[in-house]
């Protein structure tokens, strides 16, 4: 069964596409060449927000910070989480010209290395096929990987800088996640990985102020790509502080690589923070907001990049607002672990 869906825009233009039964609205739009703005694909960032003008639909997941109860009552939707149940019409409050961008490239590579880097994290290295070599992306962006043997896809930030035919992805190994089970149980060197890239609006901007990078768990991945690029240039002319928060010390990973940045990036400082009490951990404890320096940030406006689970991102936003640090520029990426 297919449904006809209209996409209307603020400039008066309307585009149409057919949506398959149970197909996500965003996927149908992209398949039809309607490149709606998007970022997380997890229902947390609201980049793909629109409003249903007519028709029936359901939404898989919507983060409270993305759409409020009032928004939902007004039939506002996130395209990445919406499944239509009838012919429908949607309105998007931006010009249709924003949808003229080229769709993300469909690419293919082969697994060239799998390495367990902590008790619950692995790095998977994918080497691009010759015809796909030279992939351009911005440090901090992500790819959407198809899990071999399934139709399921998961999003992972690039964990290395562009310029190489080898791509790295930092993957958290959940107890029963689809990608986790594949990496832990079946992944072999030589496996073919299909993916879409580049995706996302979280990336390193022009650096003209000190950088504060805040990573939660595998949110570190996006910053590894940024730091690789900064290191390759011998620094960025500004201090760079990386805060890395995890639950236990055993969850920390890539420490040797991070410590090497101290020699490669002038003014680099690294602060790991462990939230659980552990007798064998003598470093900083608690949450990252407990260790941010409000006085220093107030004295020198800073560019702050945050990548991690939604509660951590919100805690940083609340902390900045509570300390009236609005002069700092904040860029953030929320991600939600998928257990299916």
């Amino acid at each position: 069964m297919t449904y006809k869906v209209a996409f209307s825009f603020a400039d008066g233009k309307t585009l149409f596409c057919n949506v398959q039964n149970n197909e996500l609205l965003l996927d149908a739009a992209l398949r039809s060449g309607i490149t709606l703005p998007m970022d997380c694909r997890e229902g947390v960032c609201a980049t793909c927000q629109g409003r249903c003008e007519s028709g029936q639909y359901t939404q898989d997941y919507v983060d409270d910070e993305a759409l409020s109860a009032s928004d939902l009552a007004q039939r506002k939707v996130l395209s990445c989480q919406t499944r239509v149940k009838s012919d429908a019409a949607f309105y998007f409050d931006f010009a249709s010209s924003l949808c003229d961008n080229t769709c993300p490239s469909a690419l293919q590579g082969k697994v060239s290395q799998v390495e367990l880097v902590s008790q619950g994290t692995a790095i998977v290295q994918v080497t691009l096929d010759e015809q796909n070599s030279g992939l351009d992306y911005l440090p901090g962006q992500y790819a959407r990987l198809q899990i071999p043997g399934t139709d399921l896809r998961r999003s992972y930030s690039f964990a290395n800088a562009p310029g190489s035919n080898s791509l790295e992805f930092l993957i958290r190994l959940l107890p029963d996640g689809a990608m986790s089970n594949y990496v832990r149980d079946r992944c072999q060197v030589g496996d073919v990985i299909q993916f879409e890239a580049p995706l996302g609006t979280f990336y390193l901007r022009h650096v003209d102020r000190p950088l504060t990078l805040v990573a939660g768990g595998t949110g570190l991945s996006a910053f590894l790509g940024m730091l690789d690029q900064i290191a390759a240039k011998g620094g960025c002319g500004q201090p760079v502080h990386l805060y890395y928060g995890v639950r236990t010390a055993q969850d920390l990973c890539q420490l040797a690589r991070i410590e090497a940045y101290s020699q490669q990036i002038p003014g680099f400082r690294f602060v790991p923070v462990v939230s659980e009490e552990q007798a064998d951990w003598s470093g900083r404890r608690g949450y990252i907001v407990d260790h941010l320096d409000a006085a220093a940030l107030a004295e020198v406006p800073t560019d702050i990049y945050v990548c991690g689970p939604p509660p951590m991102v919100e805690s940083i936003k609340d902390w900045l607002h509570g300390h009236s640090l609005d002069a700092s520029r904040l860029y953030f990426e929320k991600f939600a672990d998928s257990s299916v």
Side-chain angles (χ1 to χ4, degrees):
M1 180 180 294
T2 62
Y3 304 110
K4 177 163 283 190
V5 172
F7 298 81
S8 297
F9 300 91
D11 58 358
K13 188 172 182 179
T14 300
L15 304 174
F16 295 87
C17 80
N18 291 323
V19 180
Q20 303 296 324
N21 185 44
N22 209 40
E23 185 178 23
L24 288 168
L25 184 63
L26 178 60
D27 288 344
L30 294 176
R31 176 174 50 76
S32 302
I34 304 171
T35 55
L36 295 174
M38 60 176 176
D39 197 348
C40 74
R41 282 184 176 263
E42 301 287 352
V44 298
C45 76
T47 302
C48 63
Q49 178 185 156
R51 184 177 70 246
C52 185
E53 302 284 338
S54 67
Q56 302 300 314
Y57 63 92
T58 61
Q59 298 197 77
D60 290 355
Y61 171 79
V62 176
D63 187 84
D64 292 341
E65 295 296 326
L67 294 179
S68 66
S70 175
D71 291 331
L72 294 173
Q74 296 174 51
R75 294 171 61 84
K76 291 184 179 180
V77 301
L78 303 181
S79 304
C80 69
Q81 300 296 310
T82 299
R83 302 181 193 272
V84 297
K85 302 300 180 183
S86 68
D87 292 345
F90 293 86
Y91 174 79
F92 295 87
D93 193 23
F94 48 79
S96 61
S97 58
L98 288 179
C99 299
D100 291 338
N101 297 325
T102 302
C103 289
S105 298
L107 303 167
Q108 180 173 292
K110 292 182 179 179
V111 175
S112 51
Q113 184 177 353
V114 184
E115 179 185 1
L116 189 67
V117 292
S118 79
Q119 66 177 3
T121 309
I123 276 191
V124 175
Q125 186 178 85
V126 176
T127 299
L128 292 170
D129 290 349
E130 186 174 340
Q131 63 268 30
N132 294 325
S133 62
L135 172 64
D136 289 323
Y137 60 90
L138 298 171
Q141 288 189 301
Y142 67 90
R144 195 165 180 242
L145 280 60
Q146 182 171 342
I147 302 169
T150 78
D151 293 327
L152 300 174
R153 292 172 171 81
R154 296 291 183 265
S155 299
Y156 296 97
S157 299
F158 295 104
N160 60 328
S164 168
N165 285 342
S166 291
L167 308 175
E168 295 179 2
F169 301 99
L170 196 62
I171 296 175
R172 182 184 176 194
L173 301 179
L174 299 169
D176 192 28
M179 180 63 85
S180 302
N181 291 341
Y182 163 70
V183 172
R184 186 169 41 233
D185 302 332
R186 308 190 308 277
C187 185
Q188 299 288 328
V189 171
D191 284 0
V192 174
I193 302 289
Q194 296 178 330
F195 62 97
E196 298 172 306
L199 297 162
T201 57
F202 183 75
Y203 54 84
L204 186 64
R205 272 71 174 176
H206 172 69
V207 179
D208 58 5
R209 306 203 295 189
L211 295 178
T212 295
L213 313 178
V214 181
T218 51
L220 175 70
S221 186
F223 296 124
L224 293 175
M226 294 183 188
L227 291 166
D228 276 0
Q229 185 175 76
I230 293 172
K233 296 179 179 179
C236 59
Q238 297 287 345
V240 181
H241 294 173
L242 171 65
Y243 292 84
Y244 176 24
V246 293
R247 188 171 58 86
T248 71
Q250 289 70 37
D251 294 319
L252 293 166
C253 68
Q254 297 290 280
L255 295 181
R257 180 175 175 181
I258 294 171
E259 290 297 340
Y261 294 138
S262 298
Q263 305 301 317
Q264 301 163 337
I265 302 173
F268 178 78
R269 184 164 68 92
F270 173 47
V271 181
V273 181
V274 170
S275 62
E276 289 192 356
E277 290 288 336
Q278 288 185 283
D280 59 349
W281 174 252
S282 59
R284 301 198 188 194
R285 301 176 186 271
Y287 297 100
I288 290 176
V289 291
D290 301 327
H291 302 281
L292 294 174
D293 189 337
L297 291 174
E299 183 177 352
V300 181
T302 301
D303 284 353
I304 302 173
Y305 291 77
V306 185
C307 186
M312 189 207 76
V313 175
E314 290 305 313
S315 72
I316 300 296
K317 291 169 64 178
D318 291 344
W319 184 88
L320 290 170
H321 180 72
H323 288 83
S324 301
L325 294 172
D326 300 324
S328 293
R329 292 189 294 235
L330 175 65
Y331 308 97
F332 62 87
E333 175 100 306
K334 298 178 181 179
F335 65 79
D337 289 323
S338 176
S339 59
V340 295

